[in-house]
Amino acid sequence: MAGHNDHAIHALFLAFAGELSAYVRRWPNEPFTGDIVQEAFLRLLEYPQPETIKEPRAFLLRTANNVAVDYYRRGKTRDRVSRRDRFSGSG
């Protein structure tokens, strides 16, 4: 992918957003699918050397997977802390 411009990002979004959404929905944090897809594209925009991305689809899928894992782990942590607080009476 050679540099960022609005047209290229828009074209990538149109080409891959649906596929990314379907991919992310397999995770148990489905309510956050839109957020995860949006975060994947944001990370693409913020990537320091976009010209080194030869396969934008693969980059987006891997990034969406990583973001989904992060959301899942944060949710598990929140659940664990919430249960602990309920049992200790501090929540």
Side-chain angles (χ1 to χ4, degrees), residues 46-84:
E46 293 175 341
Y47 196 74
Q49 297 175 318
E51 66 279 358
T52 63
I53 300 172
K54 303 296 183 213
E55 297 290 335
R57 177 183 173 270
F59 178 91
L60 288 165
L61 284 168
R62 171 63 69 185
T63 302
N65 185 76
N66 292 344
V67 173
V69 168
D70 292 345
Y71 268 71
Y72 180 75
R73 287 179 180 158
R74 274 187 246 139
K76 292 298 242 181
T77 300
R78 273 192 304 272
D79 290 347
R80 199 169 40 248
V81 169
S82 177
R83 279 194 308 274
R84 186 192 68 212

Side-chain angles (χ1 to χ4, degrees), residues 5-47:
N5 66 52
D6 291 344
H7 179 71
I9 296 299
H10 182 72
L12 288 171
F13 185 81
L14 291 176
F16 300 123
E19 182 180 3
L20 288 175
S21 293
Y23 179 75
V24 169
R25 277 191 210 103
R26 68 190 179 97
W27 283 90
N29 49 5
E30 186 177 337
F32 300 107
T33 297
D35 294 339
I36 292 168
V37 170
Q38 186 175 26
E39 179 71 21
F41 278 95
L42 180 62
R43 290 185 185 186
L44 174 65
L45 281 168
E46 293 175 341
Y47 196 74

